[in-house]
């Protein structure tokens, strides 16, 4: 048996083409494009690459980009002031603070300053509360992307045993809530869980979201399980060439799993696409009688 790949890159490309058509319709009615502001602090190479990818994707679907790049020594007050200005800017429908931030900045406090209706990353407490209550709203991009990918491949979650390894606010907790909403039985495991291998082997749906290369080995995977690799780790080989790998030992797990996401080409592409989706959804909510998009869940 060889796992079927869950091709996030192909799905993301198709979704972006569909979003571009939706933007054309919306812009014709409302006389301006949706707008997204990404705030980046410092010169972290990985963050810079992510921001470039987001800006390119905005161009593809017709979203106006209002990115702001701050020096590494930018103050909390400067960033908060910028967020307040963007909250009041009618051209801007989505605001995202690129993480991680330099150590002297309080990322939680900054995220909480974003208008919940412009919270493109779905991380404001107001939007997380909507998720807990099962109400429509902006969803965290990576978890929403995972759910959309599972939906695309018609993977039935109802009644299945799902194990999420990782308990971050960015991925682990919201994906667990989304899986619960889809009627899965959910276990959250983490660094202090006893016998992680046994917990993982119980999963029909295994989500790895830790950020540790090769964490998931074939002995931890139930034969035929759906394995979703959210981890992104940059490694350098003996020749000095760098590449991205996930939390799953891909080559070793592929003969065991039923479905498997590659890294890159899996969840990462979906994360950017759901960011665009969230921005367009926020834009559509501003206009009475506008074309309504679903919440991505």
């Amino acid at each position: 048996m060889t796992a079927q790949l869950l091709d996030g890159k192909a799905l993301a490309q198709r979704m972006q083409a569909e979003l571009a058509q939706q933007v054309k319709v919306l812009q014709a009615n409302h006389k301006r494009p949706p707008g997204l502001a990404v705030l980046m602090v410092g010169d972290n190479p990985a963050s810079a690459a992510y921001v470039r990818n987001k800006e390119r994707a905005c161009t593809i679907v017709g979203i106006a980009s209002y990115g702001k790049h701050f020096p590494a020594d930018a103050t909390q007050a400067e960033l908060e002031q910028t967020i307040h200005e963007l909250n009041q800017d009618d051209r801007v429908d989505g605001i995202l603070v690129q993480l991680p931030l330099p150590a002297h900045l309080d990322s939680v406090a900054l995220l909480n300053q974003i208008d919940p209706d412009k919270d493109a990353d779905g991380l404001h407490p107001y939007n997380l509360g909507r998720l807990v209550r099962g109400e429509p709203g902006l969803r965290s991009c990576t978890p929403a992307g995972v759910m959309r990918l599972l939906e695309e491949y018609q993977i039935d979650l109802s009644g299945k045993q799902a194990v999420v390894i990782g308990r971050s606010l960015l991925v682990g907790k919201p994906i667990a809530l989304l899986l619960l909403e889809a009627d899965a039985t959910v276990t959250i495991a983490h660094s202090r869980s006893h016998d992680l291998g046994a917990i993982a082997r119980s999963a029909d749906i295994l989500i790895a979201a830790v950020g540790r290369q090769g964490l998931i080995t074939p002995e931890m995977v139930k034969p035929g399980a759906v394995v979703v690799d959210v981890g992104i780790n940059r490694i350098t080989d003996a020749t000095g060439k760098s590449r991205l790998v996930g939390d799953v030992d891909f080559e070793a797990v592929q003969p065991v799993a039923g479905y498997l996401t590659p890294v890159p080409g899996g969840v990462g592409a979906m994360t950017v696409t759901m960011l665009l989706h969230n921005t367009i959804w926020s834009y559509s909510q501003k206009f009475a009688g506008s074309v309504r998009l679903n919440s991505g869940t």
Side-chain angles (χ1 to χ4, degrees):
M1 179 177 67
T2 300
Q4 179 177 349
L5 295 186
L6 301 176
D7 191 342
K9 183 177 180 180
L11 176 57
Q13 289 173 342
R14 200 187 76 211
M15 288 182 65
Q16 288 181 22
E18 293 170 354
L19 289 171
Q21 291 303 312
Q22 291 173 337
V23 167
K24 287 182 180 178
V25 173
L26 291 165
Q27 186 172 350
N29 291 332
H30 308 307
K31 311 306 179 188
R32 72 164 179 86
L36 174 65
V38 178
L39 309 186
M40 178 180 161
V41 182
D43 297 302
N44 181 301
S47 292
Y50 293 149
V51 170
R52 284 195 300 271
N53 287 341
K54 290 165 184 174
E55 290 175 344
R56 279 197 295 265
C58 283
T59 300
I60 290 170
V61 303
I63 292 174
S65 183
Y66 299 100
K68 294 182 180 293
H69 187 184
F70 295 86
D73 60 356
T75 67
Q76 187 87 8
E78 285 179 286
L79 290 165
E80 288 186 359
Q81 178 60 34
T82 298
I83 290 171
H84 293 161
E85 291 170 359
L86 293 170
N87 285 341
Q88 301 301 317
D89 190 334
D90 288 337
R91 303 170 301 165
V92 175
D93 305 287
I95 303 169
L96 178 145
V97 176
Q98 181 65 46
L99 302 176
L101 293 171
H104 70 281
L105 296 171
D106 185 340
S107 60
V108 174
L110 288 173
L111 294 174
N112 289 350
Q113 296 295 317
I114 297 173
D115 180 342
D117 292 331
K118 295 188 177 187
D119 173 30
D121 230 0
L123 295 177
H124 192 282
Y126 190 84
N127 288 316
L128 291 171
R130 283 172 164 170
L131 172 58
V132 170
R133 292 174 60 88
E135 297 173 353
L138 294 163
R139 301 297 194 233
S140 302
C141 296
T142 298
V146 170
M147 298 301 289
R148 180 64 184 84
L149 190 55
L150 295 174
E151 177 190 345
E152 178 68 15
Y153 284 84
Q154 300 180 341
I155 293 171
D156 182 21
L157 301 175
S158 180
K160 300 295 178 63
Q161 182 69 41
V163 173
V164 179
I165 302 179
R167 53 180 170 178
S168 72
L169 195 61
L170 190 65
V171 179
K173 291 175 182 176
I175 191 64
L177 289 167
L178 289 170
L179 289 163
L180 276 174
E181 199 170 62
D183 297 323
T185 300
V186 182
T187 299
I188 302 178
H190 46 79
S191 60
R192 297 192 180 183
S193 297
H194 294 295
D195 200 349
L196 184 60
I199 296 171
R201 280 192 302 275
S202 72
D204 302 305
I205 317 291
L206 179 61
I207 314 286
V210 176
R212 188 184 308 166
Q213 176 196 353
L215 173 68
I216 305 301
T217 61
E219 297 77 19
M220 300 172 70
V221 177
K222 177 193 287 188
V226 178
V227 181
V228 178
D229 192 349
V230 181
I232 299 178
N233 310 287
R234 186 173 293 276
I235 63 170
T236 303
D237 62 23
T239 67
K241 185 177 180 180
S242 66
R243 62 188 177 95
L244 295 178
V245 298
D247 291 351
V248 177
D249 185 343
F250 183 87
E251 286 77 14
V253 167
Q254 192 171 15
V256 180
Y259 293 87
L260 179 61
T261 60
V263 177
V267 175
M270 292 302 300
T271 297
V272 174
T273 301
M274 298 314 296
L275 172 67
L276 306 176
H277 177 283
N278 280 352
T279 301
I280 297 167
W281 189 81
S282 293
Y283 170 85
S284 74
Q285 304 309 297
K286 290 184 176 180
F287 304 101
S290 65
V291 177
R292 296 286 172 159
L293 308 179
N294 65 46
S295 64
T297 61

